[in-house]
Each structure stands twice: as structure tokens, then as C-alpha cells.
């Protein structure tokens, strides 16, 4: 297997980003979104990225196999040094180490954009994601009990952080 190539995403990548995100929605392991996203919704999401809030894609064998994004944590200027992050890997590429590759690239980009800290929120039951994040130096901040509803039941969401 050749090493994945990580690069800045472009508009041409939106169909792949949408497909991978929708897999995350359907699989119920990475987001509280319940409904798959259409092209217009992904276009609106895309419009909120760029500049200091880039989206990266990882290509494997010429195909987008995963993506990662730096998201605005808060509109309040006091939090300008905090980056929220998202990482999604296509079903057929999970377990290949793409999450680690994307995380390392995202951290590098966050440093370039003068972020002081990265934060994320993950399901308390998603042990695989927590292994990835801990392996990259994130620590658990705490768990929000019954933070959101997923398929009619409340689920706990863990907050994690890493100082850059």
C-alpha cells in the first residue's frame, strides 16, 4: 500500500467529502447528525471554511479516502486561539492509519495558523476514536452526560484537548 497524500481540499472534493461524512452519519459512530447531507448543505458548510479554517483530504490510490477540517470553536474573539476539529475516514479505509495521518497534518496546519489549542468532541462509546486522539497527545477534559439524542436515546459526549 502506498502512503496517503494529504492536501488542501478544493471544491472538486466536495462530492467525496459529502459521501464520507454521510457514511459517518449512517454508521452512527461520529456525529449527532441524523440526516444525510445534500449538495446544498455541504456547499454551505464549505463556505465557512478556508483561510484559517482549512479542509484537508487524504488520497489513497488516487481516491479521497478521508478528510479533516479545522472549524471555528466560537464566534467570541477570546477563543480565536482554539480550533475545533473534525476527522472522517471512508468505511473502506478505516483501520489503515489515515486518521493518524490526517491528525498530524491538521495539527501542523493549526500551528501554521497560530492556533494555541485544538479541541474535539467524540462519543464516549467510540473507543477507536479515543485511541487515535490519545495517541496524538489529546487528553480527556470531561464527559457531557446525555449531551445529545441519537436514534431516540441520549448519548454521552467526551471533550478532549491538546495544547499546541
Amino acid at each position: 500500500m502506498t502512503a496517503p497524500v494529504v492536501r488542501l481540499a478544493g471544491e472538486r472534493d466536495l462530492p467525496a467529502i459529502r459521501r464520507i461524512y454521510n457514511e459517518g452519519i449512517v454508521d452512527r459512530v461520529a456525529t449527532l447528525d441524523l440526516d444525510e447531507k445534500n449538495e446544498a448543505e455541504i456547499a454551505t458548510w464549505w463556505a465557512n471554511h478556508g483561510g484559517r479554517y482549512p479542509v484537508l483530504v487524504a488520497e489513497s490510490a488516487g481516491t479521497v479516502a478521508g478528510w479533516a477540517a479545522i472549524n471555528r470553536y466560537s464566534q467570541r474573539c477570546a477563543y480565536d486561539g482554539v480550533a475545533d476539529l473534525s476527522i472522517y475516514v471512508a468505511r473502506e479505509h478505516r483501520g489503515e492509519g489515515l486518521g493518524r495521518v490526517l491528525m498530524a497534518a491538521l495539527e501542523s496546519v493549526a500551528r501554521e495558523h497560530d492556533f494555541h489549542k485544538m479541541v474535539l468532541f467524540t462519543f464516549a462509546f467510540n473507543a477507536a476514536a479515543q485511541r487515535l486522539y490519545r495517541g496524538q497527545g489529546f487528553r480527556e477534559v470531561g464527559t457531557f452526560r446525555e449531551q445529545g439524542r441519537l436514534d431516540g436515546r441520549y448519548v454521552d459526549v467526551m471533550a478532549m484537548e491538546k495544547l499546541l
Side-chain angles (χ1 to χ4, degrees), residues 82-148:
V82 180
D84 174 66
L85 67 93
S86 300
I87 294 182
Y88 289 84
V89 175
R91 280 184 194 126
E92 66 271 17
H93 292 283
R94 293 178 190 160
E96 296 176 3
L98 283 176
R100 282 190 309 276
V101 171
L102 282 163
M103 179 65 79
L106 203 62
E107 183 176 328
S108 178
V109 169
R111 289 176 190 276
E112 289 171 14
H113 289 287
D114 201 30
F115 284 101
H116 174 70
K117 174 183 189 173
M118 296 176 79
V119 298
L120 61 88
F121 302 91
T122 185
F123 290 136
F125 61 77
N126 191 337
Q130 291 164 35
R131 275 192 306 277
L132 166 66
Y133 303 136
R134 284 189 179 103
Q136 298 299 306
F138 281 77
R139 73 173 191 96
E140 181 180 345
V141 175
T143 299
F144 295 101
R145 298 287 317 269
E146 299 182 0
Q147 181 72 1

Side-chain angles (χ1 to χ4, degrees), residues 9-148:
E11 281 191 58
R12 71 183 186 278
D13 298 310
L14 291 182
I17 290 169
R18 184 176 132 225
R19 176 184 56 81
I20 293 166
Y21 185 62
N22 282 340
E23 287 177 0
I25 293 170
V26 169
D27 294 347
R28 301 292 201 256
V29 295
T31 179
L32 285 169
D33 273 334
L34 299 176
D35 299 319
E36 293 181 55
K37 300 303 173 197
N38 61 39
E39 289 178 24
E41 290 167 320
I42 290 298
T44 299
W45 171 85
W46 176 253
N48 290 315
H49 288 83
R52 195 162 183 238
Y53 302 96
V55 178
L56 306 177
V57 293
E59 289 185 339
S60 179
T63 303
V64 174
W67 62 270
I70 294 177
N71 309 299
R72 181 179 294 277
Y73 174 73
S74 173
Q75 295 296 324
R76 294 181 176 152
C77 64
Y79 296 110
D80 282 350
V82 180
D84 174 66
L85 67 93
S86 300
I87 294 182
Y88 289 84
V89 175
R91 280 184 194 126
E92 66 271 17
H93 292 283
R94 293 178 190 160
E96 296 176 3
L98 283 176
R100 282 190 309 276
V101 171
L102 282 163
M103 179 65 79
L106 203 62
E107 183 176 328
S108 178
V109 169
R111 289 176 190 276
E112 289 171 14
H113 289 287
D114 201 30
F115 284 101
H116 174 70
K117 174 183 189 173
M118 296 176 79
V119 298
L120 61 88
F121 302 91
T122 185
F123 290 136
F125 61 77
N126 191 337
Q130 291 164 35
R131 275 192 306 277
L132 166 66
Y133 303 136
R134 284 189 179 103
Q136 298 299 306
F138 281 77
R139 73 173 191 96
E140 181 180 345
V141 175
T143 299
F144 295 101
R145 298 287 317 269
E146 299 182 0
Q147 181 72 1

